[in-house]
Amino acid sequence: MGSGSRHRYHVLVIGGGPAGMAAAARAAACGVRVGIVDDNFGLGGQIWRGATAGEIPEARRWMESAQSVNIAVLCGMRVFDQPETGVLLAEGIDDTHELHYDKLIVATGSRERFLPFPGWTLPNVLGAGGLQAMVKCGLPIHGKRVIVAGTGPLLLAVAAYLRKRGAQILMSCEQASVTALARFAVTLLRHSGKIIQGMQLKKELARVPFATSCWPLAVQGNQVLESVRIVRSGKVETLACDYLACGFHLVPNTELATLLGCQLENGYVRTDDFQRTSIPEVFCAGGPTGIGGVELSLVEGQIAGYAAGGRTAEARELFGERKKLRQFARALERTFQLRPELRGLASPETIVCRCEDVPYSCLRHHDSWRAAKLRTRCGMGPCQGRVCGPVTQFLFRWNPDSVRPPIFPVRVESLAATAGASDPVHQEVTGGH
Ligand SMILES: Cc1cc2nc3c(=O)[nH]c(=O)nc-3n(C[C@H](O)[C@H](O)[C@H](O)COP(=O)(O)OP(=O)(O)OC[C@H]3O[C@@H](n4cnc5c(N)ncnc54)[C@H](O)[C@@H]3O)c2cc1C
């Protein structure tokens, strides 16, 4: 494999979001050597990436704790395979690295769920979190007309963020009904922190129209998005805009855990009280175990970190807090479940698999994900089904297939490393960075 290096840690954490940072910080507090890997160039994950983190005291605190002396921070590295038990391979900018662990904490987060509708592949139709990430990385949004659409609390967070950066938010379209949202509001009464966040968002989005039972039907434009046709409580209207920021809640990133052999339950990684998966040396926290927001990720991460570091008493003290936050996660799932009408948005020509250009008409006759993959190449492009997998699961009720390495597209040299793992030519790196 060339000049790759070998790293050894007692506790290795994959994912540098809130769950991963909390896990690394607590494992390090147990006095063991810890490594934390993330494929971005800095820690923070989806919510605290880049410049945003500096503005939020809580984010700054966790980042500082996750970069303490006995933690090696390995950013810009993506884990893509486990050639043998206790060893992972990660691809960096120009090298492949062998990561050895005694205990592993998988904190790989979640991603947005997209649904296809006519025109959804036009430029300037973006994932809500995706547009937010682009703005965080410098995309100018000042004065642009943005429609935010889909489902879930992320839409409001994104709308508020974009508005703060000067975007004109024309409308926030939420597919959930007003009744479902009213029930959700009652649940919030048990979570004072969430009420405060909700009030803050309401203030930040004052005078922005918020429509319930509302979703995009189609996007029009010549080469680039020009307008969006939406349905609002049964009535169709067309709105001209510059960007459509669209996402239908989140789906867990379970690929790495699945590759390691961890069992899933209802689509999430199954864990015990100590966040231990069905593989005894592997723990999991945050997005892959359930979609519950940043607070739940932080608590699960801390429990996993303490448990992996051997301090189960400290982990146990956090069980009560986690129980409460999981109730909130269940309420999120109930409230923002997709309505069946959304299954009818795609026309026969609408592309479902964007990587391989596979339209809806080529898929609907198949009876499984595997059959569709074999006959149409759906899910076989660079995203490896991360976008069209959840789409077809919703549209056709197909179950996703098993996961095969590499779990991300990698360079040929990195593939060669799979065969050469544990080869003595690797340079050994053991200390913290
Ligand atoms: C696009 C997007 C934007 C979001 N924006 C907001 C927001 O503005 N406000 C809000 O409250 N919530 C937001 N969320 C939800 C938020 O992510 C969760 O509430 C929670 O913070 C998740 O924390 P986590 O640590 O579990 O995961 P994440 O924060 O997702 O962190 C997981 C990290 O693991 C990395 N990773 C995954 N696989 C690998 C691998 N194989 N190798 C190396 N690294 C890997 C990922 O790149 C990521 O940095 C967003 C979610 C998404 C998907």
Side-chain angles (χ1 to χ4, degrees):
M1 148 180 113
S3 58
S5 55
R6 180 180 294 168
H7 307 249
R8 285 182 185 279
Y9 303 103
H10 180 61
V11 176
L12 178 66
V13 182
I14 311 302
M21 291 194 295
R26 295 304 183 237
C30 302
V32 297
R33 194 167 58 230
V34 178
I36 179 166
V37 182
D38 195 280
D39 50 3
N40 293 289
F41 289 101
L43 297 178
Q46 300 289 3
I47 180 171
W48 292 333
R49 76 166 72 225
T52 324
E55 301 160 16
I56 305 168
E58 188 183 22
R60 241 194 346 255
R61 268 198 310 276
W62 282 112
M63 284 195 171
E64 281 163 14
S65 324
Q67 297 183 73
S68 66
V69 277
N70 55 339
I71 303 179
V73 178
L74 308 165
C75 281
M77 270 192 207
R78 181 175 265 179
V79 172
F80 65 91
D81 194 7
Q82 172 168 258
E84 59 188 74
T85 305
V87 185
L88 294 177
L89 288 179
E91 187 177 81
I93 299 174
D94 46 24
D95 250 333
T96 310
H97 306 270
E98 241 183 73
L99 308 173
H100 293 243
Y101 63 85
D102 299 319
K103 301 274 167 57
L104 182 71
I105 302 177
V106 176
T108 45
S110 55
R111 59 182 182 268
E112 290 184 271
R113 172 165 45 203
F114 302 109
L115 290 182
F117 47 84
W120 77 299
T121 52
L122 267 181
N124 290 359
V125 180
L126 294 158
L131 177 59
Q132 176 181 246
M134 286 167 76
V135 173
K136 283 180 186 175
C137 294
L139 177 80
I141 199 73
H142 198 273
K144 300 289 183 201
R145 297 162 305 164
V146 182
I147 294 175
V148 179
T151 201
L154 179 58
L155 295 184
L156 295 182
V158 170
Y161 178 86
L162 297 178
R163 195 181 201 204
K164 239 186 255 164
R165 264 97 196 137
Q168 191 190 340
I169 308 295
L170 300 184
M171 187 180 289
S172 183
C173 308
E174 169 57 63
Q175 61 94 46
S177 69
V178 71
T179 321
L181 292 172
R183 255 188 248 123
F184 184 60
V186 174
T187 314
L188 286 189
L189 296 177
R190 270 176 258 141
H191 302 269
S192 53
K194 303 282 180 195
I195 297 179
I196 295 166
Q197 280 170 26
M199 299 303 282
Q200 179 66 24
L201 277 176
K202 195 164 176 248
K203 202 165 124 202
E204 288 169 6
L205 291 171
R207 294 180 309 282
V208 171
F210 175 73
T212 55
S213 296
C214 179
W215 60 90
L217 291 174
V219 159
Q220 290 105 11
N222 183 18
Q223 311 289 338
V224 67
L225 160 77
E226 289 168 13
S227 63
V228 182
R229 197 145 56 83
I230 59 162
V231 58
R232 173 158 44 151
S233 299
K235 288 202 185 106
V236 176
E237 52 193 285
T238 300
L239 302 168
C241 63
D242 301 305
Y243 286 99
L244 172 62
C246 191
F248 291 85
H249 206 31
L250 302 172
V251 287
N253 290 330
T254 53
E255 292 76 11
L256 178 59
T258 307
L259 181 78
L260 302 175
C262 304
Q263 281 174 11
L264 304 189
E265 197 171 277
N266 301 324
Y268 297 106
V269 177
R270 186 159 67 76
T271 55
D272 69 6
D273 284 350
F274 293 99
Q275 300 295 136
R276 195 188 294 269
T277 69
S278 55
I279 310 271
E281 67 278 13
V282 180
F283 297 75
C284 188
T289 65
I291 307 297
V294 59
E295 292 87 355
L296 182 58
S297 287
L298 284 169
V299 172
E300 287 192 353
Q302 292 182 72
I303 293 174
Y306 277 133
R311 286 205 194 155
T312 47
E314 277 94 334
R316 220 179 266 283
E317 282 170 20
L318 294 162
F319 286 2
E321 201 179 336
R322 182 184 57 192
K323 186 174 172 198
K324 200 168 156 202
L325 289 166
R326 281 190 176 161
Q327 284 165 358
F328 175 73
R330 281 194 290 276
L332 274 181
E333 187 144 349
R334 263 195 318 274
T335 308
F336 300 106
Q337 59 184 297
L338 300 181
R339 55 173 66 225
E341 292 99 307
L342 298 174
R343 290 202 174 90
L345 292 184
S347 68
E349 305 77 35
T350 305
I351 296 292
V352 173
C353 172
R354 301 177 69 133
C355 300
E356 296 288 332
D357 277 348
V358 186
Y360 181 85
S361 59
C362 290
L363 293 172
R364 63 182 165 194
H365 306 298
H366 295 291
D367 57 7
S368 71
W369 172 242
R370 173 159 296 228
K373 263 175 113 170
L374 287 174
R375 299 207 182 95
T376 68
R377 290 196 52 79
C378 176
M380 293 176 79
C383 93
Q384 299 183 331
R386 283 179 171 78
V387 175
C388 60
V391 168
T392 57
Q393 205 170 358
F394 174 66
L395 293 183
F396 309 118
R397 299 178 178 84
W398 293 342
N399 286 321
D401 242 348
S402 58
V403 171
R404 288 197 210 156
I407 56 168
F408 288 104
V410 289
R411 295 185 295 268
V412 174
E413 307 90 271
S414 300
L415 279 183
T418 311
S422 293
D423 164 338
V425 296
H426 289 75
Q427 184 197 342
E428 186 134 327
V429 181
T430 50
H433 287 198

